Amino acid sequence: MSFSRAAIAVLIFASPAAAQSDTTPTQNQIVVTAQRSGAPMWTIETPTGTIILVGEIAAVPESTPWQPDRLEEATAEAQQVILRARPKFSPGDVFRLIFRGGRFTKLPDGRVAADYLNADQRARLAALEAEYDIDYDRRSFLMTGFDLLARRLDFDDDTTKDATDVVRKAADRADVPIDRPERFRGEDLLDNLADADPASHIPCLEAAMSATEQGQAIIEARGNDWRRFDVPAVMDNPLEVALGTCWPWADPDLGEEIRGQWVSMIADAANADGVTLAVVPLRVLAEQDGVLDQLEARDFPIGGPDWRPQS
């Protein structure tokens, strides 16, 4: 075989490998692909890689113009993924819920809403009861808050894919390792709810009433602000405020532990090679003294949209 023919043969058989190497995305390309999804996100450059923090909101409206397929592409090229934990419920927890369910869903025996609420709060609740033809007088304030948001405001109807599901499925398909915070035991969550003072859920009720009173326009506004990366506006949206004011986020023990887990896992990811893609609830990221504030206090270089309200 002549030199020229041998050279051509080498080029033919080597070209697929060479092309594959040339098309392997860089860390910056993965970041750009993720950003093209339209979800607000922040990046942290480390000595060995890049961390992408995707700020997730629950129940993205169908009207919100975002591109989850771009996030899928970025996930498939990442080296690892961090997603929120799921509660760990055992069969015993299910029986515990059955036998103690009244402690979660109703006020203590003989007590009614007016025993805890001031006159203005009770009047607002009465107006909503009349509007929706429902009696909340004996329900726990947490269950009333959930009912107002999910069934009266219908915030989680007509929704599109959320970032956690998009990333989880893409990571599974591409065999990208998924890491999660330590799961809370179902028993601990149920005990936490059962032991809570009914009055501790009044802020949740008030926030849920405010969101419901303002109507469904706030749902689309929240999605549009999220897509425009106007993080302070999302954080101030009555629906987002309500979701962040209700259990478990507002619980002083659970909420602090959840935030601490995220900060610890993201800080640990700073030592990993390549791209780490983490999907974190936006409220946990962007609230005052939240994950972004805590990471910045540790001198992590954070790039992305402003998350603090303008003074």
Side-chain angles (χ1 to χ4, degrees), residues 1-12:
M1 181 182 294
S2 68
F3 173 78
S4 60
R5 292 177 63 189
I8 292 172
V10 169
L11 288 174
I12 290 174

Side-chain angles (χ1 to χ4, degrees), residues 192 200 247-259:
N192 177 275
S200 68
W247 186 91
W249 307 111
D251 183 273
D253 297 324
L254 288 178
E256 183 177 353
E257 188 169 352
I258 290 170
R259 291 161 179 83

